[in-house]
Amino acid sequence: MRIYIMDPRWPVKTYRIPETIGKDVVRWICFEDAAINDMLTALKVRQGVQPDSIELLRLCGHGNSGYIEIGQGIDINSARHFNVLKGCF
């Protein structure tokens, strides 16, 4: 499974169109104003993420050194919430 987490301010809006590449499922997920822990938990629960099911996870947003603007933002302190996906890659 390939997963793209998008910020709504991302300039290319084609992420709203689901697609399949070969046998791979591609999920496009856009989070308006959520905390990273809520986003990742929702990703795991709603998208049916299983152990070893994520081939690629892309974060598409804006930012600067040490910070990415997706939802309420991801910085060095909030990045620890990615541990909810441990074992899914």
Side-chain angles (χ1 to χ4, degrees):
M1 178 183 319
R2 298 175 189 179
I3 300 173
Y4 292 77
I5 298 180
M6 313 295 290
D7 184 82
R9 294 160 286 208
W10 188 253
V12 180
K13 300 300 183 191
T14 57
Y15 66 80
R16 297 175 192 260
I17 304 167
E19 65 179 294
T20 303
I21 299 174
K23 61 181 179 163
D24 295 322
V25 175
V26 178
R27 311 281 177 150
W28 302 88
I29 303 161
C30 182
F31 289 101
E32 295 282 335
D33 188 29
I36 188 62
N37 58 330
D38 295 333
M39 288 192 286
L40 296 172
T41 300
L43 168 68
K44 190 168 184 180
V45 172
R46 282 193 254 151
Q47 299 300 321
V49 174
Q50 303 295 320
D52 297 324
S53 65
I54 298 176
E55 174 187 346
L56 172 74
L57 176 67
R58 283 202 173 139
L59 305 175
C60 303
H62 299 282
N64 208 332
S65 178
Y67 179 79
I68 186 168
E69 200 166 301
I70 295 177
Q72 292 178 359
I74 304 169
D75 61 16
I76 196 162
N77 296 316
S78 61
R80 64 182 168 80
H81 293 291
F82 279 88
N83 66 3
V84 74
L85 299 178
K86 184 177 180 180
C88 296
F89 293 89

